[in-house]
Amino acid sequence: MVDKLVRVQKRFLWGGGPDNNKIAWIKWETICLPKEKGGLGIKDINTFNLALLGKWRWNLFQNAGQLWVRVLESKYGGWRGLDAASNDKKQSLWWRDLKMVFQASQQGEEIKRGIKWRIGCGDRIKFCEDEWIEGEASLGSKYPRLSLISCQQNHLIQHMGDYKEAEWEWKLS
């Protein structure tokens, strides 16, 4: 669909119809640059689409508890489901596109690298499954044998310890 929109943009800009193609004297990337940088300021639909899909992931995480997020969590696994591999044909096209962006594109990887965890009270971050230590893989993938024998594999961080005298004390089993 995005490619069709880009074709319409190019056909409009360079003239020509469906049957005759005209020469593009300037690269499309240059045309999509802002006017201050020598372009025409035309939106690059691919980049714009990726930005909007990235915003959906952000909103899924930020709006926990809202009805639309609860529906997506029950149906697809919420923001965690975006990283899970599955080829379920029953998923909506929108959800599959959203997953594809974060699993199979360079831009999706850049968005993931740009997201920083803020643990807060630890009520949404899984101790073993999530990549919550900056620059590190998840503890489950880094220490798979320890993760397998743990009785707390799917626990949230807040359930992994307590505050004792203003300091966090881990309780691992």
Side-chain angles (χ1 to χ4, degrees), residues 19-121:
D19 298 333
N20 62 349
N21 294 325
K22 295 202 175 181
I23 296 173
W25 295 100
I26 301 172
K27 285 193 239 177
W28 185 248
E29 293 80 23
T30 305
I31 288 178
C32 291
L33 289 173
K35 291 177 183 177
E36 302 82 45
K37 294 186 178 182
L40 295 178
I42 294 175
K43 276 196 192 321
D44 179 1
I45 300 289
N46 283 312
T47 305
F48 190 65
N49 187 44
L50 288 170
L52 290 175
L53 290 171
K55 189 173 179 180
W56 274 109
R57 181 183 177 115
W58 178 257
N59 283 330
L60 276 171
F61 190 72
Q62 292 297 315
N63 296 304
Q66 290 191 9
L67 179 61
W68 69 273
V69 175
R70 290 195 324 254
V71 168
L72 291 175
E73 284 174 349
S74 67
K75 190 166 183 165
Y76 304 120
W79 62 272
R80 290 181 193 284
L82 291 173
D83 294 326
S86 74
N87 251 351
D88 189 1
K89 299 292 182 198
K90 294 179 184 174
Q91 294 178 342
S92 70
L93 286 174
W94 172 79
W95 189 259
R96 280 187 266 162
D97 283 349
L98 194 55
K99 285 181 72 149
M100 181 192 67
V101 165
F102 292 103
Q103 291 180 356
S105 75
Q106 178 184 359
Q107 292 89 347
E109 289 300 318
E110 287 178 33
I111 291 171
K112 279 197 237 177
R113 279 194 303 272
I115 294 173
K116 301 284 185 214
W117 287 104
R118 190 172 69 195
I119 303 300
C121 62

Side-chain angles (χ1 to χ4, degrees), residues 116-161:
K116 301 284 185 214
W117 287 104
R118 190 172 69 195
I119 303 300
C121 62
D123 63 340
R124 290 194 265 172
I125 300 162
K126 292 188 178 181
F127 183 73
C128 286
E129 291 179 32
D130 292 328
E131 297 175 5
W132 57 276
I133 301 172
E134 190 172 344
E136 298 281 336
S138 70
L139 293 176
S141 63
K142 193 170 181 180
Y143 305 105
R145 290 184 65 195
L146 284 174
S147 179
L148 282 174
I149 62 172
S150 172
C151 298
Q152 301 165 305
Q153 289 175 355
N154 296 316
H155 280 64
L156 298 171
I157 290 178
Q158 79 178 146
H159 298 127
M160 299 296 293

